């Protein structure tokens, strides 16, 4: 475990005011409250301690900033902060990646993702996505389907085939993926070792084994570039599989969830379904190979971002690598010492009526009517550590919604399910109950 880098004598300081410490338990600190429901915990902390406060998790102090108007000031300090230490610790728990391997592979792999999945390089991936989604659903029969399972399998199989490799992702492996992903909050917490979680461990091993040899036919150029980089740093076959799986999990875990929430909230709103169907009615399936055509699907894009607003709780955690002072918009400044850690938590701004009108409501065309609201979203992260696959992920969800509405009619049979509060820092959350739908081919 990392040493506690923040001491009582050397806490971060505000130029005008003090950073108050949240009451906590010995050793575990505030960890259990955050694990149980981070939104409620941080909301209560903000009410009692203000927009900036200090928490403790497993004897490690962290300053939390909840006001989104301050975020850009922090994210601009990219040369003075890093995610690598925190992410390395997380990867060792969640993905069993030793620290030395992580530090050899993480940054180069991010740059490969950023280069291969740049916004102006996606048309080949778009074509693969369209073809793979159609192939995945062509044998699906109408009738009763559990919607999260139905959408999850499409995203997992089609997305995996287009971004990684054809032929190795199927329903059986999706079950293993779900077993692993469902256990990820407790694995991430460090409270339970992974080897005690039999089904999660089985799913992890199955997928890492499937991804440990990308020299086989069918693997994408992206995977082959990552494989070349892994060879350069001397990873063995098992380590290569884990490195590839870490990217696969990151690419799919959040996309599955947001795709589900976007679809289920659209289907629950007759006006949304009608208007989005109208938007796609004059566009042929082959037209969405073209990135410019996808960009014009503005209602679907608004729907996706409203799902992100309502169902993400991404925490942007940074370690300070040199003493810095950050000027804030409210005529304040905050000073950090080398070794401090801070967390930007935008979820509270998403449910704040000063930032989003009627935040308790899901308004599918919110961003379509007010495009300036896009600038208030941090669901892909921010700064130098913004998600390198965000354009591909958004396209994947758009393409799936487009094709599903072209091919099927849906009728929801259950109410909108509640979301899992334990996943509100992961950064997307999933449903806690089944949601049935009756599907008819058009």
């Amino acid at each position: 475990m990392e040493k506690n880098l923040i001491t009582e004598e050397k806490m971060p300081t505000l130029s005008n005011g003090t950073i108050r410490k949240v009451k906590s338990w010995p050793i575990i600190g505030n960890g259990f409250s955050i694990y149980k429901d981070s939104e409620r915990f941080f909301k209560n902390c903000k009410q009692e301690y203000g927009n900036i406060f200090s928490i403790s998790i497993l004897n490690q102090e962290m300053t939390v900033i909840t006001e989104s108007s301050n975020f850009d000031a922090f994210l601009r300090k990219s040369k003075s902060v890093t995610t690598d230490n925190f992410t390395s610790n997380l990867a060792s728990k969640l993905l069993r990646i030793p620290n030395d391997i992580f530090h050899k592979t993480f940054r180069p792999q991010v740059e490969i993702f950023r280069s291969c999945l740049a916004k102006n390089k996606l048309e080949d991936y778009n074509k693969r996505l369209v073809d793979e989604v159609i192939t995945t659903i062509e044998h699906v029969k109408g009738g009763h389907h559990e919607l999260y399972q139905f959408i999850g399998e499409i995203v997992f199989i089609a997305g995996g085939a287009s971004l990684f490799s054809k032929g190795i992702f199927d329903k059986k492996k999706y079950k293993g993926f779900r077993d692993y992903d469902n256990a990820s909050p407790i694995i991430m917490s460090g409270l339970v070792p992974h080897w005690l979680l039999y089904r999660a461990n089985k799913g992890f091993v199955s997928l890492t084994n499937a991804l440990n040899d990308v020299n086989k036919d069918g693997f994408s150029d992206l995977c082959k570039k990552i494989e070349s980089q892994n060879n350069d740093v001397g990873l063995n076959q098992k380590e290569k599989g884990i490195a590839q799986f870490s990217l696969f999990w990151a690419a799919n875990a959040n996309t599955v969830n947001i795709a589900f929430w976007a679809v289920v909230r659209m289907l629950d709103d007759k006006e949304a379904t009608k208007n989005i169907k109208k938007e796609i009615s004059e566009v042929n399936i082959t037209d969405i190979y073209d990135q410019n055509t996808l960009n014009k699907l503005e209602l679907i894009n608004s729907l996706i971002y409203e799902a992100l607003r309502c169902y993400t709780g991404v925490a942007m955690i940074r370690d300070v690598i040199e003493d810095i002072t950050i000027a804030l918009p409210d005529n304040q400044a905050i000073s950090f010492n080398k070794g401090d850690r801070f967390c930007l938590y935008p979820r509270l701004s998403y449910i704040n009526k000063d930032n989003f009108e009627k935040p308790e409501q899901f308004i599918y065309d919110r961003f379509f009517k007010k495009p300036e609201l896009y600038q208030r979203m941090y669901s892909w992260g921010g700064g130098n550590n913004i998600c390198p696959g965000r354009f591909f992920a958004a396209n994947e969800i758009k393409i799936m919604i487009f094709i599903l509405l072209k091919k099927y009619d849906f009728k929801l049979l259950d109410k909108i399910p509640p979301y899992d509060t334990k996943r509100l820092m992961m950064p997307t959350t999933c449903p806690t109950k089944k949601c049935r739908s009756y599907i008819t081919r058009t």
Side-chain angles (χ1 to χ4, degrees), residues 65-66 68 71 312-316 344-351 376-379:
I65 298 92
T66 61
S68 61
F71 289 174
T312 60
V314 58
M316 295 178 281
L344 309 179
Y345 189 72
R347 173 133 185 104
L348 296 187
S349 70
Y350 298 165
I351 58 175
R376 301 181 186 179
M377 295 294 294
Y378 294 89
S379 297

Side-chain angles (χ1 to χ4, degrees), residues 28 258 320 398:
I28 65 170
I258 294 304
V320 179
K398 280 185 185 180

Side-chain angles (χ1 to χ4, degrees), residues 1 26 71 92 101 221 239 259 289 347 380 414 419:
M1 184 184 300
F71 289 174
S92 67
I101 292 177
D221 289 341
E239 291 166 344
Y289 295 161
R347 173 133 185 104
W380 305 108
D414 294 315
Y419 58 81

Side-chain angles (χ1 to χ4, degrees), residues 250-298:
N252 279 273
N254 297 319
T255 310
V256 167
N257 290 335
I258 294 304
F260 166 77
W261 291 117
V263 170
V264 77
R265 296 308 300 249
M266 175 190 68
L267 296 177
D268 191 54
D269 184 333
K270 292 181 179 179
E271 179 187 341
T273 304
K274 176 183 175 182
N275 289 337
I276 289 174
K277 279 190 172 183
K278 183 179 179 181
E279 180 178 65
I280 71 173
S281 63
E282 297 180 359
V283 181
N284 295 320
I285 287 179
T286 53
D287 293 340
I288 60 173
Y289 295 161
D290 177 57
Q291 186 61 43
N292 291 327
T293 302
L294 275 177
N295 293 341
K296 293 176 183 177
L297 299 176
E298 296 178 323

Side-chain angles (χ1 to χ4, degrees), residues 7 10 19 38 52 88 120 200 276 323 380 419 436:
T7 66
K10 214 177 180 185
I19 300 174
S38 61
I52 301 176
S88 173
N120 62 348
I276 289 174
D323 294 355
W380 305 108
Y419 58 81
R436 296 169 301 150

